[in-house]
Amino acid sequence: MIDRGLGADLEKTTLLGAVLATVTLLRPLFAFKENRVALGEPVMLPEAGGVWVTGVIAGLVLAAGLLSFAPQVNRVRWAKISIGMLLFATLVITLGLSGSQAVAGMEFARITPSTGFWVGVLASFVLVQGSLHSAPVSHLVRSVVVLIPFLIVLILLAAGVLDSLAPVQEYYTRESRFVSELGAHLWLSGVAVLAASMTGVPLGILAYRRRMAERPVFAAVNGIQTIPSLALFGLMIAPLAYLSREFPVLRSLGIRGIGNAPALIALTLYALLPVVRNAYTSLAVIRGSVIDAGKGMGMSRAQMLRFVEVPIAVPIILSGVRVSTVQAIGNTAVAALIGAGGLGTFVFQGLGQGAPDLVVMGVIPIVLLSVFVDRSLAVVIRVLTPRGLKGAPS
Amino acid sequence: MIEFRNVVKHYGGQTAVDSVSFSIARAEVCVLIGPSGCGKTTTLKLINRMLEPSSGEVLLDGYPVASFEPEELRRGIGYVIQSVGLFPHMSVAENVGIVPRLVKWERSRRERRTDELLDLIGLDPAQYRRKYPSELSGGEAQRVGVARALAADPPVLLMDEPFGAVDPLNRETLQLEFAALQRKLRKTVVFVTHDLDEAIRLADHVVIMREGRILQHDQPAQVLASPANEFVRQFVGVDRALKRLACFEVGDHMKRAETITREESRNRLNEPNGDGGYHPILWVTNRDQALVGMLEPELNRRSPLAYRPYVELHPAEVGVRPAASLREALSRILGQGLRAVPVINDEGRVLGEVRLSDIEELNQTGITR
Ligand SMILES: Nc1ncnc2c1ncn2[C@@H]1O[C@H](COP(=O)(O)OP(=O)(O)OP(=O)(O)O)[C@@H](O)[C@H]1O
Ligand SMILES: [Mg+2]
């Protein structure tokens, strides 16, 4: 064996994770507030979790630090992934339990996670992702591992462990409103993606089949994408308001300058680009020789579609739909500005009231939704992709 | 079987095939050859109606191809396209089984046929059935392309540079395998290539094309012996006499050889006179009648004092097989510095011999200067 010396196997990502994780020990874990608008009092990890928890976290940090010098073999990878997961679970549970203790008996008291907590979460993300990224595992396992932290949070939420957190308190005071806005959010993004797919796929195919159409189609969908979302929503207002005023039929259909109609149009326009681009690509990747071979074997037009074009193209088209769905979920947050509702409502309310906890309460479900939809679609696409075309997992 | 009658094909203003007429007999291999862009692929695609002629007609079995439904026609004609064109999303087995699937064979029959074909083209079904085109080497992919074309056992096979993407060594292997396969299957094959040696090796007839016209249509030996014009003469090259030797099989041109045993070689001073013919070389065999050496009686007669029973030979280096070409035999003759080489079978038995003088004679007859 060649002695390669200490540091020969240094894994920088893991080291970064370990360094970040030390911040949880040095910075406040959360801030305690007597009521919604009170200034917070910082609480450090030892104070919140006691000796044991502090010891566990310090141990995890140390282990991650040491493992960053170990060769990146599979056992080490899984050790690091477990460390990241444990770090995350410990932080969240500690936050919930000590928060509940701190606010016990006080009606309006709450806690807000601070630097120590957020950086710790980031650290665990770095640890997990850094190792999972290069691990030789199936797509399904990867998706499941990514979903574990979200599952942990959901279970804790359901069990009431996180009730003392300010965003959760904000949620309790608006529970029914939250459900309806979540519904509105899903409806808006869903309809937009559906509409974008129904127009985008034919547009992409048209752009591929007709030379003439290619440039204008791409100029248009690319152009839309360069308009800032806020501006696009704003742009919808004037013409729709005008139409609504001039044609009472439209008004009776609920089409006005603000609300769902302009939001849906803008969201659909935004969602177009990935769909059109992938629909175009899906046909472009089918090489002429393959089409020639199919024709030469005596395939009819329908058989060519069934045996060749659809199996190759559908997964690529769905990848476009996936990107566009994740984008739409994010963009829908902005739609609240023109009165379309959705989870963005809470974000903008929070911004208006100077209540960051309300903002967080709006943002977290949006993130959760994006990740969940993204991973689920990734699995669906994986299943639909013929084995011969599978490359590296995405 | 296939007949072109005054076929013309224009692409816009350009003429890719210019008034071409020729026919291809059943069970023969007709090779289309010529420089890039001379219209070979176009000619091929006119047969299975991938392209329609601008004028003239193509007949199959006496019927105009235009009278068949294009899909029906194509399912009855195996097609190996120029760039292989395997379906990337289908396994090797699915690729090979696609035409049977189109004509709705039962699954079990399809699978049997697929395995049979993989065996035929020399890929172990157990190992290759489930592989995908991206996991194949260029040569393997081209074999699969050939298997796919053969799947529904079509009587006609169109092959557009089927071995183009393989290195010269593997290409030769594929050619020899294909030649052996064709002896068994006896398809009517239209084969396109750039490679003159490939054409000589495989063709019953060659069609030499240039700028959409046929310059010469003949047996390969004939084309090499008397090129129709200056272009063909240049195309076949200054070494055409040598190349022509590749058209002849050793088995058809060997002479009777005289053999003696090792024991006989020790006490014989005079040449044997089994047939009274002239035998410059006596081939010495062991008890199993396998070749071990040679004796040149004339040398021994000239200097009886230096009598040597025989010179040892390595059969693998000296002997040629009956299926080898005269070109190979000549190469052995020159390489060994002998006047003849023995023709041997798998066991090393001497079947006959090929003489330099016979090759010279053959070369002089037929070839035009
Ligand atoms: N689809 C097409 N449109 C226009 N011109 C074409 C088309 N296909 C072929 N040609 C032209 O027709 C001529 C004959 O082409 P073809 O493909 O038959 O040549 P080839 O002999 O097969 O060449 P290669 O050996 O390079 O494959 C070429 O000049 C080519 O540029
Ligand atoms: Mg060609």
Side-chain angles (χ1 to χ4, degrees):
Chain A
M1 270 305 280
I2 308 160
D3 180 13
R4 292 183 298 168
L6 190 67
D9 292 312
L10 177 64
E11 224 276 305
K12 296 199 185 83
T13 316
T14 313
L15 193 64
L16 173 69
V19 171
L20 285 174
T22 55
V23 174
T24 54
L25 299 164
L26 308 172
R27 302 290 305 160
L29 189 66
F30 62 82
F32 170 82
K33 293 180 182 174
E34 273 178 11
N35 55 53
R36 191 167 181 231
V37 292
L39 275 179
E41 296 165 31
V43 177
M44 301 284 288
L45 178 67
E47 199 182 331
V51 182
W52 281 107
V53 172
T54 314
V56 166
I57 294 208
L60 290 173
V61 173
L62 195 65
L66 289 177
L67 279 182
S68 63
F69 292 95
Q72 182 83 314
V73 295
N74 248 346
R75 289 227 308 276
V76 172
R77 267 196 203 108
W78 285 108
K80 289 174 186 170
I81 292 171
S82 317
I83 290 175
M85 292 286 181
L86 275 176
L87 180 67
F88 180 79
T90 317
L91 282 173
V92 180
I93 294 172
T94 310
L95 186 76
L97 293 179
S98 69
S100 309
Q101 251 173 23
V103 303
M106 286 183 263
E107 197 187 337
F108 300 110
R110 57 197 66 202
I111 63 161
T112 305
S114 337
T115 336
F117 175 79
W118 292 122
V119 177
V121 170
L122 180 64
S124 59
F125 174 79
V126 169
L127 286 173
V128 171
Q129 207 54 41
S131 298
L132 195 60
H133 164 74
S134 62
V137 293
S138 80
H139 209 68
L140 193 64
V141 172
R142 201 178 296 269
S143 292
V144 168
V145 172
V146 170
L147 288 177
I148 288 178
F150 295 99
L151 222 64
I152 295 177
V153 172
L154 286 178
I155 291 171
L156 291 176
L157 274 174
V161 175
L162 300 179
D163 283 355
S164 63
L165 267 68
V168 182
Q169 301 245 319
E170 298 283 4
Y171 165 77
Y172 279 129
T173 55
R174 307 177 163 69
E175 203 168 347
S176 64
R177 182 78 197 281
F178 179 85
V179 173
S180 68
E181 296 300 359
L182 176 66
H185 202 106
L186 288 175
W187 187 83
L188 282 171
S189 0
V191 172
V193 169
L194 201 69
S197 307
M198 276 169 16
T199 49
V201 174
L203 268 180
I205 293 173
L206 179 78
Y208 181 77
R209 292 263 150 89
R210 299 262 176 280
R211 271 268 159 79
M212 297 262 292
E214 183 178 338
R215 282 173 142 273
V217 165
F218 276 100
V221 291
N222 278 316
I224 294 168
Q225 207 71 193
T226 60
I227 306 173
S229 53
L230 217 57
L232 187 59
F233 283 116
L235 278 177
M236 290 294 130
I237 297 176
L240 282 174
Y242 171 79
L243 286 175
S244 164
R245 216 169 35 243
E246 295 296 306
F247 302 97
V249 198
L250 294 177
R251 190 159 55 235
S252 68
L253 288 171
I255 292 178
R256 290 174 298 135
I258 57 168
N260 282 341
L264 274 179
I265 294 176
L267 287 172
T268 305
L269 289 177
Y270 264 120
L272 272 178
L273 177 63
V275 178
V276 174
R277 195 183 35 202
N278 279 41
Y280 178 92
T281 316
S282 74
L283 294 181
V285 297
I286 304 179
R287 298 180 33 199
S289 62
V290 170
I291 298 289
D292 246 22
K295 222 168 135 192
M297 302 293 121
M299 284 187 189
S300 63
R301 191 74 199 86
Q303 286 169 329
M304 186 81 82
L305 215 71
R306 170 170 161 221
F307 290 117
V308 181
E309 288 169 327
V310 166
I312 298 181
V314 162
I316 302 178
I317 292 178
L318 280 183
S319 299
V321 174
R322 173 183 164 201
V323 173
S324 123
T325 309
V326 173
Q327 271 183 14
I329 291 174
N331 284 334
T332 303
V334 186
L337 269 187
I338 52 168
L343 293 167
T345 313
F346 303 119
V347 177
F348 291 112
Q349 261 180 24
L351 287 174
Q353 300 171 3
D357 297 321
L358 188 54
V359 176
V360 171
M361 189 214 106
V363 167
I364 285 184
I366 295 176
V367 173
L368 282 178
L369 206 59
S370 306
V371 174
F372 178 75
V373 169
D374 185 49
R375 296 325 296 177
S376 320
L377 284 179
V379 171
V380 171
I381 290 166
R382 204 68 191 164
V383 169
L384 285 179
T385 307
R387 199 161 69 82
L389 297 178
K390 278 178 189 168
S394 53
Chain B
M1 185 78 185
I2 300 173
E3 189 182 348
F4 278 69
R5 282 190 191 158
N6 293 315
V7 175
V8 178
K9 176 67 188 176
H10 302 293
Y11 287 118
Q14 191 189 358
T15 307
V17 170
D18 192 358
S19 183
V20 156
S21 299
F22 71 108
S23 54
I24 301 165
R26 186 180 302 276
E28 85 163 5
V29 178
C30 176
V31 174
L32 307 181
I33 190 168
S36 196
C38 69
K40 305 183 293 291
T41 299
T42 305
T43 305
L44 208 62
K45 285 183 169 177
L46 288 166
I47 299 173
N48 68 354
R49 292 191 68 189
M50 298 282 282
L51 294 173
E52 301 291 346
S54 309
S55 72
E57 63 178 355
V58 181
L59 294 106
L60 180 69
D61 267 338
Y63 300 98
V65 289
S67 66
F68 300 96
E69 276 300 308
E71 277 95 36
E72 284 302 314
L73 177 75
R74 291 174 198 150
R75 283 172 202 165
I77 300 180
Y79 183 37
V80 184
I81 80 166
Q82 188 161 4
S83 35
V84 189
L86 294 182
F87 303 117
H89 59 297
M90 293 186 189
S91 67
V92 164
E94 288 170 319
N95 263 289
V96 174
I98 188 70
V99 180
R101 195 162 160 196
L102 295 181
V103 298
K104 305 207 163 58
W105 288 15
E106 276 171 33
R107 170 181 288 258
S108 59
R109 181 172 169 211
R110 236 163 48 207
E111 282 169 1
R112 242 180 301 126
R113 178 67 179 156
T114 306
D115 284 359
E116 190 182 301
L117 280 163
L118 288 178
D119 265 330
L120 193 71
I121 55 159
L123 298 178
D124 174 20
Q127 193 188 340
Y128 282 91
R129 210 185 281 133
R130 299 172 62 100
K131 283 204 178 198
Y132 281 85
S134 59
E135 300 162 340
L136 299 177
S137 75
E140 288 165 350
Q142 298 210 306
R143 284 165 198 242
V144 175
V146 173
R148 179 173 67 176
L150 288 171
D153 204 16
V156 177
L157 211 53
L158 310 180
M159 306 178 84
D160 199 345
E161 302 193 30
F163 310 136
V166 200
D167 62 273
L169 213 67
N170 274 309
R171 187 183 309 173
E172 191 176 331
T173 317
L174 286 176
Q175 286 162 0
L176 294 176
E177 282 170 9
F178 175 74
L181 206 63
Q182 169 61 9
R183 272 195 290 277
K184 238 187 299 179
L185 302 178
R186 299 188 50 77
K187 306 277 180 199
T188 305
V189 182
V190 191
F191 192 109
V192 167
T193 184
H194 269 125
D195 178 349
L196 188 62
D197 290 320
E198 184 165 82
I200 294 168
R201 198 166 280 142
L202 301 178
D204 295 313
H205 284 95
V206 240
V207 171
I208 299 185
M209 295 183 70
R210 182 195 186 190
E211 289 169 0
R213 291 174 167 276
I214 294 181
L215 300 184
Q216 192 167 8
H217 176 196
D218 215 329
Q219 291 171 347
Q222 209 45 44
V223 172
L224 290 163
S226 37
N229 59 28
E230 195 46 38
F231 177 82
V232 178
R233 182 186 295 270
Q234 285 199 358
F235 186 78
V236 297
V238 285
D239 59 343
R240 64 191 162 97
L242 192 57
K243 282 184 180 138
R244 181 164 168 265
L245 290 180
C247 304
F248 303 108
E249 268 189 25
V250 162
D252 299 335
H253 294 270
M254 64 185 185
K255 291 276 166 60
R256 216 181 73 80
E258 191 68 24
T259 59
I260 54 176
T261 62
R262 269 189 289 213
E263 290 68 37
E264 286 172 317
S265 80
R266 289 205 185 85
N267 49 37
R268 266 185 196 243
L269 281 173
N270 294 314
E271 72 221 68
N273 257 324
D275 57 357
Y278 168 67
H279 291 283
I281 298 179
L282 304 179
W283 306 104
V284 182
T285 57
N286 63 13
R287 211 166 299 135
D288 300 327
Q289 298 189 318
L291 180 71
V292 291
M294 58 168 265
L295 183 69
E296 287 179 277
E298 247 171 79
L299 281 184
N300 279 336
R301 217 175 311 126
R302 248 181 270 151
S303 47
L305 292 179
Y307 183 80
R308 295 193 310 170
Y310 66 93
V311 182
E312 270 193 41
L313 291 176
H314 290 289
E317 276 169 29
V318 186
V320 290
R321 299 304 163 98
S325 70
L326 282 188
R327 187 176 176 166
E328 190 186 332
L330 178 64
S331 149
R332 297 280 163 109
I333 288 174
L334 298 176
Q336 299 292 326
L338 300 172
R339 279 176 292 170
V341 283
V343 182
I344 58 174
N345 66 8
D346 290 343
E347 287 92 47
R349 286 221 202 142
V350 179
L351 305 174
E353 67 185 22
V354 177
R355 297 181 193 158
L356 180 58
S357 54
D358 291 344
I359 294 179
E360 281 166 348
E361 197 177 319
L362 180 73
N363 188 37
Q364 262 142 30
T365 58
I367 205 149
T368 54
R369 262 166 249 281

